[in-house]
Amino acid sequence: MTFDPASYQFVDSGQPEEIRASSVLPAHRENIELHTEDGLTLLGELALPEDGNIRGTLITLHPLPTHGGFMDSHVYRKASFRLPALTGIAVLRFNTRGTSSPRGTSQGEFEEGVGERFDLVAACQFAVDRGLANRWLLGWSFGTELVLKYGALSPALEQTEGAILLSPPLKRADQTDLDHWAASGKPVLALVPEFDDYLQPEAAQQRFARVPQAEVVGIDGGKHLWVGEKYVQRALNEISSTVLGQPIELPTDWNGPMAKAQ
């Protein structure tokens, strides 16, 4: 059975409570479908601020599906749980082609980052069609490869403000892709864990030197999968600050209705 994100049961304890990994804050959440130019239907979820005041939008591209990546990869899931309520940022998550989650399985098969161009384009077009403001591409691991390869090409180039990258491996994305971003002039923020398995901060600085406007931020003690609330909090602070254009330090407590995810 497909999970219905509107089914969360919210309870107000009447006092501030710590925001934990499973804490779900109020938002308008709906299951969505994306339709690609090559005829596939992709399944996802959109989480919007309850008051309708959308200050920014994250279009998320998840880690490698052949290694457990999907729309519920934990940083993205927690972003959807928290950011609409805490920052007014909408979070669009979806399963790329052939990827499964409790939401369901997107049509198609994994295509090594080639056919997935259509997936990114469909997500950007959906965000435009829904009138979601201040749209940013957010990639994590394999998702950063899709952002770097296709986010600086039309039509995504004209539809988004810039890119935020979590743990970019720079395996599929090459110098030509980086040059497209350099030519675009659009901001690129790369959050690179100190102990990343694939690309660490010093090497990332060298690789991203081709993109003059790119900012590489090393995450002390961090690893590729961003395990641990400390690192999730850092990621969400950096993401929110970039999207909103001002320093953001997200609260760690919430005073109001809260639900608990399974």
Side-chain angles (χ1 to χ4, degrees):
M1 180 178 295
T2 299
F3 175 71
D4 179 3
S7 66
Y8 288 118
Q9 299 296 311
F10 288 87
V11 176
D12 190 342
S13 69
Q15 59 187 9
E17 291 191 58
E18 181 182 359
I19 298 172
R20 301 180 182 274
S22 61
S23 299
V24 184
L25 306 186
H28 174 76
R29 297 182 171 88
E30 59 181 287
N31 285 330
I32 61 168
E33 293 184 353
L34 309 179
H35 301 284
T36 69
E37 292 180 15
D38 61 339
L40 300 182
T41 297
L42 312 178
L43 304 182
E45 181 198 297
L46 179 63
L48 302 170
E50 270 197 322
D51 64 5
N53 181 24
I54 300 170
R55 301 174 64 199
T57 303
L58 295 174
I59 301 169
T60 66
L61 287 303
H62 59 68
L64 194 64
T66 54
H67 287 68
F70 61 155
M71 62 176 275
D72 286 341
S73 291
H74 75 103
V75 175
Y76 288 173
R77 193 168 185 241
K78 292 165 188 171
S80 75
F81 286 170
R82 304 176 193 180
L83 295 187
L86 296 179
T87 65
I89 294 174
V91 180
L92 169 58
R93 300 180 294 138
F94 69 100
N95 290 321
T96 56
R97 56 189 58 207
T99 303
S100 298
S101 76
R103 168 69 181 94
T105 301
S106 291
Q107 291 180 346
E109 298 178 354
F110 176 63
E111 295 188 31
E112 296 287 349
V114 178
E116 284 81 3
R117 175 180 182 175
F118 295 115
D119 304 353
L120 181 148
V121 168
C124 292
Q125 188 61 53
F126 178 93
V128 170
D129 291 344
R130 287 290 297 263
L132 305 180
N134 186 20
R135 299 175 292 273
W136 287 74
L137 291 167
L138 172 60
W140 179 5
S141 192
F142 171 71
T144 70
E145 308 279 47
L146 302 182
V147 170
L148 289 172
K149 290 186 73 66
Y150 309 125
L153 303 177
S154 293
L157 174 63
E158 294 80 20
Q159 295 173 328
T160 55
E161 301 298 323
I164 304 169
L165 312 173
L166 303 180
S167 305
L170 285 179
K171 287 190 171 185
R172 291 173 171 83
D174 58 24
Q175 292 184 353
T176 299
D177 302 316
L178 295 177
D179 290 344
H180 286 149
W181 276 98
S184 79
K186 292 197 170 183
V188 177
L189 173 66
L191 303 178
V192 183
E194 179 182 8
F195 301 116
D196 196 278
D197 299 313
Y198 304 104
L199 186 71
Q200 296 181 356
E202 183 177 351
Q205 290 281 4
Q206 297 172 1
R207 296 285 301 276
F208 279 102
R210 297 184 72 90
V211 185
Q213 74 273 23
E215 180 183 4
V216 176
V217 176
I219 306 299
D220 292 346
K223 296 183 180 180
H224 189 75
L225 297 180
W226 296 80
V227 174
E229 184 60 28
K230 169 184 175 182
Y231 298 107
V232 173
Q233 188 80 2
R234 175 70 186 276
L236 296 184
N237 283 341
E238 295 280 1
I239 291 165
S240 300
S241 298
T242 299
V243 171
L244 299 181
Q246 64 187 70
I248 300 292
E249 188 77 24
L250 296 173
T252 57
D253 295 303
W254 173 256
N255 191 359
M258 182 186 292
K260 185 176 182 179
Q262 297 300 316

